[in-house]
Amino acid sequence: MQQVQQELLAALAQALESLSEGSGDKARFETPKVASHGDWAVTAAMQLAKPLGRPPREVAESLKQALLRSNAGQRWLSEVDIAGPGFLNLRLQPVAKQQVVHDILQQSTQYGHRAPHDQRVLVEFVSANPTGPLHVGHGRQAALGDAICRLLATQGWRVHREFYYNDAGVQIQTLALSTQSRAKGLKPGDAGWPESAYNGEYIADIAQDFLAKKTVTADDRAVTANGDVNDLDNIRAFAVAYLRHEQDLDLRAFEVRFDHYYLESSLYTDGRVDRAVASLQASGHTYEEDGALWLRSTDFGDDKDRVMRKSDGSFTYFVPDVAYHLAKWERGFTKVINIQGTDHHGTIARVRAGLQAASKQQGLHIPTGYPDYLLHTMVRVMRGGEEVKISKRAGSYVTLRDLIEWTSKDAVRFFLLSRKPDTEYVFDVDLALAKNNENPVYYVQYAHARICSVLAQSPEKWPEDPAKLDLSMLDSAEAQALMMALSRYPQMLTQACQDLAPHDVTFYLRDLAAQYHSYYDAERILVDDVPLRRARLALVAATAQVLRNGLAVLGVDAPERM
């Protein structure tokens, strides 16, 4: 089907060029909103009508005739209609649609993938400071980040996954003092309990293990407690390692991995923050006022200037962010995607302004839109018809581990990816547990398991050699509709990657599952007619492969039995 599309697109481009030189780049096919209108639609006639000074339908007629005369048109098209103000509706020959089954069975897990290229991309996500368990917001970010990394990989990118966090500063000091207080026998509500302390039960767990002089090992650090309640430095190091280890456990349960952990503190110890500040000052885009150092970020489109260094000598939080992104650029990552909560919206303009000022001073040629940002809203959790707000372990919020334990890794991933990131999402625990068509992940996984059951009952051994398959009998309306749905997968992947929109994959999978269920209800697959049975088995085997491929992009399993 990809070959069919390429040949017809080339014929359309040639037809457009014959009408207007340079217009071949307008050659593209769209999916009609109403399936009965055709398999593909072309809108180029309406775009060319005004420049050519001709009525759109007249231009459409010229394109129609050129397509029907072309070798690709004669081979693959059954009909071309002109509709409305100048739409071209194309109907494909059954043999054109049948090509997709060959493509899928031959390409298997690589169907829809593009060839690898040398371009690198860094995706930073989760980046949670080790001050408590990961909450469901972190879960949404983990699902988004991992799915986007997988999407990028399907399009040939070399993907680097990075987790950035702070192991020093005010929050970490609060963690250390909270753990110290617990180790000394205090608890929330007692006299002497720090007012700003973390109150979750996890603090008591850290303190207990600290007193037991345990060793904790995370992916990026290992610390042994000495049990001395007066050694705040050891308590701090142990608590950070303990919570990093807990984060690792949560992320492994969620099947999310990282290539590198980057410490905010290293930006100071390596001198990157000082060098970034010096570069910004040398750029001529800073000034001092009221004892503070300001970045004239309005020079780069920000709505107001921003404080870099406060009057007490400490840096505001966007300064290390600028230093961190300069480090990303220096490491060769000219494409960077940051996945963060919507509360980070205000940092975008100031970080980009700082990067532009430094880039100008250092001659780095950093693009004005660097880095890319994907912002997501938080998640509300409903259970038993009521909103759940508190986890005993965390003290004030529902954790990612809670959600996985209540439902499953697959349900959490699919649900958290099923809406646009910037829309609020309500996670319904009861729906995630339901075994019916209202549960989207169950609906998709059941379609795959249903196909596996059919294949298991077949007299033929699958997969068959695609080259030996005769698919000419796949000519019913239901079979052709299913093949057209399968053919949309590669373009959907490409567009979802460009738009950073993994929710498009969930929408596609639900539509494909619905198309398969309709086909299954319309045509018996395990018929006595051997050639017909083999053709239908090939179609459903291809459908199972695409369901598996799409679920893999989301990090969701494709069970063979349910």
Side-chain angles (χ1 to χ4, degrees), residues 59-110:
V59 177
E61 181 64 33
S62 297
L63 290 175
K64 171 183 174 179
Q65 295 305 322
L67 278 173
L68 290 174
R69 285 194 303 268
S70 69
N71 290 334
Q74 292 178 30
R75 183 180 183 188
W76 302 121
L77 293 177
S78 65
E79 190 177 353
V80 179
D81 294 328
I82 300 174
F87 290 100
L88 278 180
N89 288 328
L90 281 56
R91 298 181 190 278
L92 298 170
Q93 296 275 7
V95 66
K97 301 174 188 178
Q98 292 156 7
Q99 290 299 311
V100 74
V101 178
H102 286 293
D103 292 345
I104 295 166
L105 295 180
Q106 287 173 341
Q107 297 171 32
S108 187
T109 59
Q110 296 303 300

Side-chain angles (χ1 to χ4, degrees), residues 172-207:
I172 302 300
Q173 182 69 0
T174 300
L175 171 68
L177 292 172
S178 304
T179 304
Q180 184 183 52
S181 296
R182 279 284 196 174
K184 289 181 175 180
L186 298 174
K187 61 182 183 299
D190 288 351
W193 180 256
E195 185 177 347
S196 60
Y198 298 120
N199 297 324
E201 286 300 310
Y202 67 94
I203 298 294
D205 296 337
I206 300 171

Side-chain angles (χ1 to χ4, degrees), residues 19-50:
L19 291 175
S20 175
E21 187 176 351
S23 63
D25 60 356
K26 292 182 173 60
R28 59 181 55 87
F29 297 137
E30 300 175 12
T31 302
K33 293 182 180 179
V34 180
S36 61
H37 289 176
D39 298 314
W40 288 330
V42 178
T43 60
M46 292 178 288
Q47 300 173 47
L48 282 182
K50 188 173 181 179

Side-chain angles (χ1 to χ4, degrees), residues 345-366:
H345 183 272
T347 68
I348 298 176
R350 64 195 74 172
V351 168
R352 286 177 173 168
L355 289 172
Q356 287 307 300
S359 175
K360 178 180 176 183
Q361 192 274 327
Q362 298 182 39
L364 299 177
H365 307 292
I366 298 176

Side-chain angles (χ1 to χ4, degrees), residues 477-519:
E478 293 81 6
Q480 292 187 59
L482 180 54
M483 288 184 285
M484 284 304 299
L486 293 171
S487 73
R488 289 192 286 272
Y489 180 72
Q491 181 56 39
M492 179 279 299
L493 271 189
T494 298
Q495 195 63 50
C497 184
Q498 291 175 358
D499 297 340
L500 303 181
H503 60 276
D504 285 350
V505 182
T506 70
F507 294 162
Y508 172 84
L509 289 173
R510 293 175 71 174
D511 289 344
L512 180 60
Q515 201 72 61
Y516 169 72
H517 290 308
S518 295
Y519 174 72

Side-chain angles (χ1 to χ4, degrees), residues 4-16 24 27 29 67 70 72:
V4 172
Q5 187 174 40
Q6 289 168 3
E7 290 182 11
L8 286 171
L9 278 174
L12 177 60
Q14 186 175 356
L16 289 167
F29 297 137
L67 278 173
S70 69

